[in-house]
Amino acid sequence: MGVLDIVPAGVLTGDNVRKLFEYAKEHQFAIPTINVTSSSVANAVLEAARDIKAPIILQVSQGGAAFFAGKGLPNDKQQASIAGAIAAAHHIRTVAKEYGVPVVLHSDHCAKKLLPWFDGMLKADEDYFAQHQEPLFSSHMLDLSEESKEENIATCVKYFKRMAPLGLWLEMEIGITGGEEDGVDNTGVDNSRLYTQPEDIWDVYTALSQISPNFSIAAAFGNVHGVYKPGNVRLHPELLNKHQLYAEEKLGQKQKKPLFLVFHGGSGSTKEEIKTAVQNGVVKMNVDTDTQWAYLCGIRDFIQNKSGYLQTQVGNPEGADKPNKKYYDPRVWVREGEKTLVERVKEACADLGNTNRL
């Protein structure tokens, strides 16, 4: 039995998201989550998933969503980020079924200062639900990890009560992911805050499970955004097993690995670290920095290899009167970036055991 025997192709919502993550946890694989900044990126990620017969997660960040809408738009009230997230969601919804793979449509880190962006997306979910009986997105992430544990959990509870009736999945973060991404700079945080404690995870589980089972926890185990030299980042994915065991004990051993866990800062991780994380209940791993680089590589190589054809509109090494349109047409060089991105997404899926799962 494969994934398509339990959930349909296209964007998933409601219990279908949980069914997918339950299947992943049971079969010991996780699904990479790729940040989408344009329709080109989205299409390449879907192409990769189709080619290797795998479910996939596409997400928009606050900055990526603003870029999707257009850098020329003002964003002083998060209006560009809201519009871009909605535009990306509609594009992905339109084409996802054509690729024949299950898709989780997600929004990335939302810190306290970005809650107006979250509010705008949630309003779009509610409007979409009124017409289609399902939300526009599959899931959203709240990241109040910079706040106190009490405020973090209370804010998640408040929003989850509004999200659950729509069939939205909630991802929350407790413990901080280091490094810098999308304007949130955690490079100087105390090292101890990069490791979440089992008691904190249980407090989250206790609060959210009273509302709905459809939530996941991004627990910190030394994670850092970006790519760093080997040895500069100390990941301890084995700590995730302690969270699972603690929750199992609290639940009276009624359920094995009851937590749906998320791996942030996955770029640059070793295959052994990834394997350990998946064995301990990680069902979703964010991969952004590596895929950004992959997208550039194809375009960079094309520009360098075809340099002689890209200096003028007419005239190249084949002759002074030879036109160059077939080289500078964006459909040509953007496609080269898509090709290298496709291969990197396939690699991320393979690392997580997410191939031939349909």
Side-chain angles (χ1 to χ4, degrees), residues 78 110-117 144 146-147 182-185:
Q78 301 298 324
C110 180
K112 185 177 181 178
K113 65 182 179 181
L114 300 180
L115 285 175
W117 172 52
L144 281 295
E146 292 181 313
E147 316 307 321
D182 231 18
V184 177
D185 188 351

Side-chain angles (χ1 to χ4, degrees), residues 157-179:
V157 165
K158 182 183 77 170
Y159 276 101
F160 199 30
K161 287 179 177 177
R162 186 174 163 191
M163 294 168 65
L166 304 177
L168 281 164
W169 183 277
L170 172 66
E171 177 184 328
M172 68 84 66
E173 179 163 340
I174 187 160
I176 286 179
T177 300

Side-chain angles (χ1 to χ4, degrees), residues 220-294:
F221 52 95
N223 319 60
V224 175
H225 286 132
V227 176
Y228 298 84
K229 289 183 179 179
N232 283 10
V233 175
R234 296 181 63 85
L235 285 178
H236 291 282
E238 70 278 1
L239 295 177
L240 299 178
N241 190 47
K242 293 185 178 180
H243 302 325
Q244 297 284 13
L245 293 174
Y246 189 87
E248 287 175 19
E249 182 181 348
K250 287 289 187 179
L251 291 168
Q253 309 294 337
K254 294 177 183 177
Q255 186 181 351
K256 287 290 185 183
K257 294 180 183 172
L259 306 172
F260 294 102
L261 299 174
V262 177
F263 187 162
H264 280 264
S267 291
S269 302
T270 68
K271 296 187 188 311
E272 189 60 34
E273 288 166 343
I274 293 170
K275 180 180 178 181
T276 301
V278 172
Q279 289 173 340
N280 291 327
V282 163
V283 294
K284 171 183 179 284
M285 186 177 86
N286 288 12
V287 184
D288 183 30
T289 305
D290 285 351
T291 49
Q292 288 178 348
W293 174 250

